[in-house]
Amino acid sequence: MAVVVGFSSSIALIYQSVINLGGDSSLVASWFLILGLSMGCLSILLSYYYKIPILIAWSTPGSALLIANIQGFSLNQATAGFIVCAVLLMLVPLLVPIDRLFKWLPSQLASAMLAGILLSFGVSVFEQINLQPTLIMTMLISYLLAKRFIPQWTLLIVIIISVICAWQLQLIEMKDIEWQWSEFQFIEPEFSWSVVFAISLPLFIITMAAQNLPGIAMLQSFSYEAPVRPILSIIGLCNILVAPFGGYAINLAAISASICMTEDVHSDPKQRYKASIWSGIFYIVLGLFAAYIMAWFALLPSALILALAGIALFSTITHSLQQSINSEHKYINEAAIITLLITASPISLWGLSSVIWGIMGGLLVLFINTFKLPQLTKRSLNK
């Protein structure tokens, strides 16, 4: 169930990321192969070694960032961005304590940046209604009903119903698909400073703030004391190795990981790590079958894929908006709103994307509101 939730919530996003970079379904399969193997092996090894349900996932908001932020970059440049991001994910937890890392960047700004990135995906769902009204309305209704009655299977149900509806509307080009195994495709990185600022830094911030931190909080909420710093560094090291093959960003899972931590898994919390091990096995199987799955997925109409990507992010957008304005200090909330607006805008100056300008704008608001002028004493006035 954890694997189904994780896969169904991101398949359309990762597929669209590769297509936007100029790839095809075979390259998508390569991405899913390396992601499935790395996530599966790490989940198995870390869970078995620490006897804690540690589930590894790909960065869902990271894939959304790639779609919104890779215009003008080639596949080779994007790969270089993945490698630099992985280096940061490995080194920063070792050099800087997690609590200090985000002391200078309030969680509200990170949430606002994420909301600004994802906002266009939510809007695109309703833009697709102009193209395929019957299909998109069916997807929205199925989403609302499934979310109300069986929320844990919402996205899987939406996928099944949308595919059936598209087939009935004759929007799927039916053809024979031959069985094929997934194959690795190495992508030679092409480094540049513009890649670091446009892809690596935003991907690092989002992966840490929206994935790793919630993953840590999820472990703590179930009273699991995990050595966070070595775990994050091990994940980052593995990320460096798999990045040239499409491992754009891997991290601690949060929502899907919680499925492996409840009482439904086992009455004894010390035995629940076995669920993460089995999840890792299923991720490996998923990666091996990715080529065949992606061959079928490529037959779906683009309107369905874009709408599915947006619908999968409804909950994340809602959570990000709520978290961005939950501070008791008004100036932090205002900084978050400015971050959101700039990030969602099409601004692109001096080679820096709207994501970087959004963070800079929010930090400027914080600086102006917290900067204190030196107090003048009577002695200094006399002088």
Side-chain angles (χ1 to χ4, degrees), residues 297-372:
F297 197 78
L299 302 179
L300 302 179
S302 60
L304 187 153
I305 296 174
L306 292 173
L308 182 62
I311 291 174
L313 293 170
F314 279 174
S315 297
T316 306
I317 295 172
T318 302
H319 179 75
S320 299
L321 289 173
Q322 291 173 339
Q323 296 298 312
S324 63
I325 53 173
N326 66 353
S327 175
E328 59 182 9
H329 302 291
K330 291 184 178 180
Y331 70 89
I332 294 181
N333 293 332
E334 184 178 19
I337 291 299
I338 290 177
T339 298
L340 187 153
L341 294 174
I342 297 176
T343 303
S345 72
I347 184 174
S348 179
L349 294 176
W350 304 309
L352 300 179
S353 66
S354 61
V355 178
I356 296 297
W357 285 113
I359 286 294
M360 293 173 61
L363 291 176
L364 178 62
V365 174
L366 293 181
F367 175 77
I368 293 175
N369 282 276
T370 57
F371 177 73
K372 295 181 180 179

Side-chain angles (χ1 to χ4, degrees), residues 285-307:
V285 173
L286 180 67
L288 296 175
F289 292 167
Y292 188 69
I293 297 173
M294 288 303 106
W296 283 103
F297 197 78
L299 302 179
L300 302 179
S302 60
L304 187 153
I305 296 174
L306 292 173

Side-chain angles (χ1 to χ4, degrees), residues 158-188:
V158 172
I159 291 175
I160 294 173
I161 292 179
S162 62
V163 170
I164 294 175
C165 181
W167 176 65
Q168 290 293 327
L169 295 173
Q170 298 182 349
L171 299 176
I172 299 178
E173 180 184 359
M174 300 303 296
K175 63 179 182 180
D176 294 333
I177 302 294
E178 295 183 359
W179 171 260
Q180 52 185 318
W181 290 101
S182 304
E183 296 181 354
F184 294 110
Q185 293 190 28
F186 177 80
I187 306 165
E188 185 175 352

Side-chain angles (χ1 to χ4, degrees), residues 94-112:
L94 291 177
L95 302 176
V96 183
I98 300 298
D99 55 343
R100 292 185 183 179
L101 177 62
F102 287 95
K103 187 175 182 179
W104 66 273
L105 179 65
S107 60
Q108 288 82 3
L109 264 65
S111 296

Side-chain angles (χ1 to χ4, degrees), residues 251-309:
N251 45 251
L252 286 174
I255 297 176
S256 56
S258 64
I259 299 174
C260 300
M261 300 179 189
T262 63
E263 294 183 355
D264 295 333
V265 175
H266 201 285
S267 58
D268 184 2
K270 295 181 180 180
Q271 298 296 323
R272 296 173 190 173
Y273 73 93
K274 297 176 183 178
S276 293
I277 292 178
W278 275 106
S279 296
I281 294 173
F282 288 129
Y283 267 125
I284 293 174
V285 173
L286 180 67
L288 296 175
F289 292 167
Y292 188 69
I293 297 173
M294 288 303 106
W296 283 103
F297 197 78
L299 302 179
L300 302 179
S302 60
L304 187 153
I305 296 174
L306 292 173
L308 182 62

